[in-house]
Amino acid sequence: GRAQAGGDRNSACGDCAGPPRPVWSLADGARSATRVGTATQVAPAATASALWLTSYPVNAALSSTAGTAREVSLAGVPLAAPVRLPAGWVIRQATDRGLLLAPVSPQPGMTVYKLWDAAAPAASRTFDGVVAATATEIAWVANCARQCLVQVLSLATGRQAKVSLPAATTASGAFSPSGDFLALQVSPTGVIGDDGALGTRLEVASVTTGQLTAVPGSSVSNDALVGFGWPASSDSLVAEFAFATKTQLASWHPGATRPAVAVIRPNRSQAFFIVG
């Protein structure tokens, strides 16, 4: 499954933390899940064999309270001493160079993220508008005045790459397992979806060259693109599209002329698929 980088809030208190909830992990091929622990918030670790669990006192205001985070194995074994996060921040993704933190309550406009190391907090680096992150790479949108400039940083080497987009809104992104490609959901000015509403489409950029390729057949209405991601076994992008009469799962490998599409008929309890 995918770790969720958002706090579990108490709806009766608005910005207050609710009670910690059980966290379970399901290994590939396993017949049952393993209870890892309890937490208010869960985030991916820098390795696939661990998670970061963050807890807050019940009814504490998330925007002004420091959470306590601990890295644990998928069997629930603590891997290091707990760390105290800066107040008002949650973990989005653990990296090889520290924890990428997101604000609990983002303000209107561009969201600022922080790459933070508990052992050297003064050396924290900030990023505006992070759209994708892994243990080794971060992508963020630097400017969208006349064109969007997506910057990609390799945390291991410090090398930066740039991807230019036409003026557009970049909603989210995802790195391929190899780190060679970055998929982006963009809503360029003037793009109209299949039903005449404002549209969105998927673009895939080569991290090495910055070359951008539109995914064939991915221009749809904003609400039709349910999700997208990269299965861990290959650099093939998978996306889920939900239309009024059907749901489609599409798989596309960079360089292919068209995606492979499977149609899933709707039923009484339509499910969402984990696509990456």
Side-chain angles (χ1 to χ4, degrees):
R2 188 181 306 179
Q4 178 66 34
D8 179 23
R9 305 189 184 196
N10 183 345
S11 58
C13 185
D15 189 40
C16 295
R21 295 186 177 182
V23 178
W24 300 80
S25 69
L26 182 63
D28 290 343
R31 294 180 177 272
S32 61
T34 299
R35 181 163 173 164
V36 176
T38 60
T40 310
Q41 185 259 353
V42 184
T47 64
S49 59
L51 292 170
W52 277 87
L53 306 181
T54 303
S55 296
Y56 295 84
V58 177
N59 290 333
L62 294 175
S63 59
S64 59
T65 304
T68 300
R70 167 169 271 178
E71 186 178 19
V72 300
S73 72
L74 296 185
V77 178
L79 300 178
V83 299
R84 195 165 180 80
L85 301 178
W89 296 85
V90 295
I91 303 171
R92 169 167 172 169
Q93 167 75 56
T95 78
D96 292 341
R97 295 293 183 269
L99 300 173
L100 182 63
L101 305 181
V104 170
S105 301
Q107 300 301 310
M110 194 70 74
T111 300
V112 177
Y113 294 77
K114 179 188 297 188
L115 186 60
W116 178 82
D117 186 343
S124 298
R125 176 176 177 178
T126 59
F127 300 87
D128 292 337
V130 171
V131 293
T134 68
T136 58
E137 293 177 296
I138 297 175
W140 71 100
V141 179
N143 190 348
C144 271
R146 294 187 176 180
Q147 68 173 14
C148 282
L149 186 63
V150 181
Q151 299 198 59
V152 180
L153 172 67
S154 168
L155 297 174
T157 65
R159 181 179 62 84
Q160 286 191 208
K162 298 179 181 180
V163 179
S164 295
L165 297 172
T169 299
T170 305
S172 58
F175 284 105
S176 66
S178 67
D180 294 336
F181 299 101
L182 172 64
L184 296 164
Q185 178 189 352
V186 300
S187 299
T189 303
V191 171
I192 303 299
D194 57 292
D195 60 359
L198 292 178
T200 190
R201 70 169 179 245
L202 293 175
E203 303 265 2
V204 172
S206 166
V207 172
T208 302
T209 66
Q211 180 179 353
L212 196 66
T213 303
V215 177
S218 67
S219 292
V220 296
S221 299
N222 275 317
D223 57 356
L225 178 58
V226 178
F228 63 96
W230 305 82
S233 58
S234 68
D235 278 350
S236 290
L237 179 68
V238 176
E240 179 185 356
F241 301 95
F243 303 103
T245 59
K246 62 186 177 182
T247 295
Q248 290 182 338
L249 290 181
S251 176
W252 181 77
H253 191 84
T257 57
R258 59 183 180 180
V261 178
V263 176
I264 299 169
R265 301 297 176 186
N267 54 40
R268 288 178 297 178
S269 58
Q270 184 66 39
F272 290 99
F273 298 90
I274 297 174
V275 295

